[in-house]
Amino acid sequence: MIIKVMELEENILKHKEYLLSVYQNTESLLSQISMILDFGLDNDKVREWYRLNKSSINTIYELIEEKEKSETLTN
């Protein structure tokens, strides 16, 4: 589960400027991810956090996908 959180953080950081401009929960989600990784929460707590934030996480991935598709069409 920690791997998923790390991948999420990596994707957010890669597209941070864009995400901050289009999704107001980006900074909050990134802050929560940093806390999880810095404090090393146990797997059950991470899984619960992921479940509770699934909607925001899905939105982040959808926005990234849309951005990448638009960049591909532009190039």
Side-chain angles (χ1 to χ4, degrees):
M1 184 53 64
I2 290 293
I3 302 280
K4 281 181 138 180
V5 175
M6 291 170 71
E7 289 171 351
L8 175 60
E9 180 187 43
E10 181 180 326
N11 280 305
I12 291 173
L13 292 174
K14 183 178 176 185
H15 302 280
K16 185 177 179 181
E17 187 175 315
Y18 168 73
L19 291 170
L20 287 172
S21 71
V22 295
Y23 189 57
Q24 69 182 17
N25 291 337
T26 301
E27 194 64 50
S28 173
L29 198 59
L30 195 53
S31 175
Q32 292 173 35
I33 290 169
S34 292
M35 283 182 33
I36 287 169
L37 296 176
D38 289 346
F39 293 107
L41 296 179
D42 67 47
N43 212 26
D44 289 337
K45 288 183 181 179
V46 175
R47 188 175 287 114
E48 178 68 9
W49 173 86
Y50 202 91
R51 186 185 66 76
L52 291 172
N53 288 283
K54 189 67 172 168
S55 176
S56 291
I57 293 167
N58 286 341
T59 299
I60 290 284
Y61 279 120
E62 288 169 7
L63 289 167
I64 290 171
E65 185 177 320
E66 288 173 16
K67 180 180 183 280
E68 289 177 342
K69 280 183 182 176
S70 87
E71 287 174 349
T72 301
L73 291 174
T74 310
N75 294 331

